[in-house]
Amino acid sequence: MSQEKFNDQDFQAIIGNLLRYGVWIALGVALFGGIVYLSGHHQETVNYSSFSENNRNILIVLQDIFSGLQKGQGESIIFLGIILLFLTPVLRILLSLISFLIEKDYLYVGITLIVIVIIGLSISFGFSH
C-alpha cells in the first residue's frame, strides 16, 4: 500500500478554499445580521449630527459581541461576520506557516512568524490606546 505525501499543491488548494469559503461565510453571516438588525430597527431615525469615539479594549468589545450573539442582536451578528472576514487571511497565514514548517523552508517560517507578531501587536495596541 503506497502512502501519498501531503504536498504543496494540496496546501495551496486548502488555502484557496479557506479564502474562498471564508469570505462567503463571513458575507453570509454579515448579511443575515443585517437582515436581523433591520427587522428590529427599520423605523428608527439616525442622528448624524454628533459622533462619539469608542475607545474600548478589544477584549471588552469581543465580550460585548458574544453576549449580544447570545441575545440574537443583529449588530453583534454583523460584527461576527466582520470578525470572520478578518480571521480568514489570518488563518491563511497560519496555514502557510504550517506549510513552510513541513517543507522545512525556515526563511519563510521566520518571515511568517514576523507577520504574525506584527498582526498580534497591531490588534493588541490598535484598540486600546
Side-chain angles (χ1 to χ4, degrees), residues 65-73 76:
I65 290 171
F66 288 118
S67 68
L69 285 172
Q70 292 174 347
K71 298 173 188 171
Q73 295 174 343
S76 295

Side-chain angles (χ1 to χ4, degrees), residues 3-5 21 36 47 58 67 79 82 87 100:
Q3 182 137 351
E4 294 184 27
K5 287 182 124 183
Y21 296 125
V36 170
N47 181 10
I58 186 66
S67 68
F79 278 124
I82 293 169
L87 286 178
F100 296 142

Side-chain angles (χ1 to χ4, degrees), residues 12 16 19 25 34 57-58 66-67 72 97-98 115 117:
Q12 296 304 321
L19 293 172
I25 289 170
N57 190 313
I58 186 66
F66 288 118
S67 68
L97 178 66
I98 294 169
V115 170
V117 167

Side-chain angles (χ1 to χ4, degrees), residues 11-117:
F11 261 111
Q12 296 304 321
I14 291 170
I15 289 171
N17 287 332
L18 169 76
L19 293 172
R20 182 178 306 113
Y21 296 125
V23 169
W24 281 109
I25 289 170
L27 176 67
V29 169
L31 180 65
F32 175 71
I35 292 169
V36 170
Y37 180 79
L38 288 177
S39 69
H41 299 280
H42 60 88
Q43 294 183 353
E44 289 182 8
T45 57
V46 181
N47 181 10
Y48 291 111
S49 63
S50 66
F51 175 77
S52 61
E53 188 175 353
N54 193 351
N55 285 333
R56 297 186 300 167
N57 190 313
I58 186 66
L59 297 176
I60 295 171
V61 172
L62 290 175
Q63 184 180 17
D64 289 345
I65 290 171
F66 288 118
S67 68
L69 285 172
Q70 292 174 347
K71 298 173 188 171
Q73 295 174 343
E75 186 177 351
S76 295
I77 299 171
I78 294 170
F79 278 124
L80 176 65
I82 293 169
I83 290 170
L84 291 174
L85 187 63
F86 173 76
L87 286 178
T88 301
V90 173
L91 289 175
R92 186 244 188 268
I93 293 170
L94 292 175
L95 280 177
S96 296
L97 178 66
I98 294 169
S99 172
F100 296 142
L101 283 170
I102 289 173
E103 294 173 2
K104 296 182 175 136
D105 195 349
Y106 297 116
L107 173 66
Y108 286 108
V109 168
I111 293 170
T112 306
L113 285 173
I114 291 170
V115 170
I116 291 171
V117 167

